[in-house]
Amino acid sequence: MRLILLGGPGAGKGTQAAKLKEHYGIPHISTGEVLREARAAGTELGKKAAEYMDAGKLLPDNIILGIVSDKMDMPDMKNGFLFDGFPRTIPQAKGLDKILQEKGQALDSVVSIDVNDGIVIDRLLKRSEIEGRADDNRETIENRLKVYYEQTEPLKDYYKGCGLLKSIDGVGTVDEIFERIKAVLS
Ligand code: AMP
C-alpha cells in the first residue's frame, strides 16, 4: 500500500497516520516530524527549518525532496509507505512522481481529510495547550492555513487528474474517520 494523506493543518493527518501505519503495517513518514526531530537535535537542517516553521511557511521544495529521497532509499519503504504532510506543493508532488518512477513504483491512493477552518483553528489552539508546539499559536495557524489554500490544496486537483484522490469528511470521532478512510481504501 502506497499512500498519501492530504489535509490542512489540524485535519487529523497525524492521528490517522498512526492508526493506518499499524493497520496496514507500513512505515509512516511525516516530513513535519522529521523537521521537528532535526530541530530538537540542533542540526543545520533543524536550525534552518525553525525559521520557516515558526513563521508558518513551507521549507524550499529541494530540501524536502532531499529528505524524502533519502527516506525512500531505506529498505522498509520497498513494500509500501504512508506520507503525511508531504507533498505540500505541486513541485513536491512532481518530484515524488519522479522518485517513484525511478524505483518502478506507483501510488495507490491519496486520501484527503476535509475539515472546515473554524474547527481546525479550535483544534490547533487546543493542541498547543497539550503538546506545546511552537507553531500552534493563532498567528502561525492563520499563516499555515493561508499557505495550505495557496500551495497545498491544488494537489487535490492534481491527484484527481491522476485518478488517485479519495476525499473523506474529517469531522467526527477518531474511530469514525478511521473507518471512513479504510472504507475508501478497500
Ligand atoms: P506539519 O507537522 O506537517 O504540520 O509540518 C510543520 C511545519 O513543517 C510546516 O508548517 C512547514 O513549515 C514544515 N513542513 C513540513 N512538511 C513540509 C513539506 N512537505 N514542505 C515544506 N515544509 C514542510
Side-chain angles (χ1 to χ4, degrees):
M1 178 80 80
R2 296 186 175 90
L3 275 184
I4 288 173
L5 269 190
L6 270 187
K13 297 186 301 290
T15 306
Q16 295 301 326
K19 291 177 78 75
L20 289 163
K21 169 188 171 158
E22 196 181 305
H23 184 76
Y24 291 107
I26 46 177
H28 161 215
I29 310 292
S30 152
T31 42
E33 208 46 60
V34 172
L35 298 173
R36 276 187 287 282
E37 280 167 17
R39 205 175 159 166
T43 63
E44 280 309 307
L45 169 66
K47 283 183 204 151
K48 195 167 170 95
E51 293 167 31
Y52 290 92
M53 294 171 94
D54 290 347
K57 290 187 186 157
L58 296 183
L59 271 84
D61 292 328
N62 62 335
I63 295 184
I64 298 291
L65 283 167
I67 294 172
V68 168
S69 176
D70 286 350
K71 291 273 175 199
M72 289 295 297
D73 284 336
M74 308 208 353
D76 65 340
M77 298 287 283
K78 274 209 183 82
N79 300 320
F81 53 76
L82 165 62
F83 279 116
D84 132 37
F86 171 85
R88 258 179 156 101
T89 64
I90 298 280
Q92 288 182 20
K94 291 188 172 162
L96 177 63
D97 287 346
K98 193 161 165 261
I99 294 170
L100 289 172
Q101 207 175 19
E102 281 166 9
K103 294 190 176 296
Q105 298 178 359
L107 291 170
D108 291 304
S109 292
V110 177
V111 177
S112 170
I113 307 180
D114 298 337
V115 182
N116 80 44
D117 291 359
I119 292 180
V120 157
I121 293 178
D122 282 352
R123 274 191 195 170
L124 291 177
L125 288 172
K126 274 200 196 105
R127 181 167 80 185
S128 76
E129 285 165 23
I130 300 166
E131 295 179 18
R133 257 179 67 166
D135 58 348
D136 279 345
N137 59 73
R138 187 174 287 272
E139 198 190 333
T140 309
I141 291 168
E142 283 171 3
N143 245 332
R144 283 157 68 206
L145 277 170
K146 187 167 165 270
V147 166
Y148 171 74
Y149 285 116
E150 284 173 4
Q151 303 198 50
T152 307
E153 223 204 7
L155 289 179
K156 286 205 217 169
D157 275 341
Y158 180 81
Y159 286 119
K160 202 185 274 173
C162 308
L164 292 171
L165 187 76
K166 285 153 184 160
S167 293
I168 62 128
D169 174 7
V171 181
T173 66
V174 168
D175 287 334
E176 279 164 359
I177 296 162
F178 184 52
E179 289 306 317
R180 285 177 207 151
I181 297 177
K182 278 194 299 183
V184 296
L185 291 179
S186 64

